[in-house]
Amino acid sequence: MSGQPHVIRGSVSLPEAELQWRFSRSSGPGGQHVNTTDSQVELRFDLANTKGLPPVWQERALERLASRLVDGVISVRASEHRSQWRNREAAAVRLASLLAEATAPPPRARRASKVPRGVNERRLREKKRRGDTKRGRSGRDW
């Protein structure tokens, strides 16, 4: 396919040998040309049985992409370009970014911090002042 491998993250890239390509006629731009060429690309990747991803990543991806998987296989379609080659590129890039997102480590847990005393006191002082201002508006004298 392309010269350089499609990197998912770090040193891990899409395992070319495990990608299954399917080509079909595409709707969309191309005029009469579109009726004669198989420019739509469907790229399938067996996520459940892959050896190309670290096991931890594989587990994460299977969990996060569960709704998109059919028998452990994820598929990506591309048909926005006229040429099959550009659609292949688009599909591979899309799959790589999908896997990058799905295998990302979970964000660090947020550590709760105490509200600084000064902030709290300032807030209460401001509330008091506001209340006094409003109390002063009623015409009765207390």
Side-chain angles (χ1 to χ4, degrees):
M1 194 187 87
S2 60
Q4 87 281 19
H6 291 277
V7 176
I8 296 175
R9 206 173 51 252
S11 60
V12 182
S13 49
L14 283 180
E16 297 282 335
E18 296 183 17
L19 302 179
Q20 300 162 328
W21 299 91
R22 226 173 70 199
F23 309 102
S24 54
R25 303 248 164 102
S26 164
S27 63
Q32 293 165 344
H33 172 78
V34 88
N35 304 326
T36 59
T37 51
D38 291 342
S39 59
Q40 175 170 289
V41 171
E42 187 183 352
L43 174 55
R44 295 163 62 81
F45 177 60
D46 191 348
L47 195 53
N49 302 314
T50 183
K51 298 280 171 273
L53 294 180
V56 185
W57 287 24
Q58 187 182 0
E59 273 171 42
R60 254 186 232 150
L62 282 169
E63 199 176 299
R64 292 187 186 159
L65 297 172
S67 60
R68 284 196 59 165
L69 296 176
V70 179
D71 297 331
V73 176
I74 186 151
S75 72
V76 174
R77 269 214 184 106
S79 61
E80 60 268 21
H81 300 294
R82 267 186 70 156
S83 86
Q84 186 192 96
W85 188 82
R86 284 176 66 191
N87 279 332
R88 286 175 73 139
E89 281 293 298
V93 167
R94 212 170 288 166
L95 181 63
S97 66
L98 198 68
L99 288 174
E101 211 171 292
T103 57
R108 299 255 301 274
R110 180 188 174 284
R111 275 187 37 212
S113 59
K114 240 180 80 181
V115 177
R117 185 140 131 238
V119 169
N120 223 355
E121 285 175 359
R122 202 169 331 145
R123 189 184 107 253
L124 293 174
R125 262 203 314 277
E126 183 54 38
K127 276 170 69 87
K128 194 101 198 98
R129 222 182 74 222
R130 200 92 194 103
D132 292 345
T133 305
K134 290 186 172 190
R135 196 174 306 116
R137 288 186 188 144
S138 68
R140 294 179 301 221
D141 18 14
W142 300 97

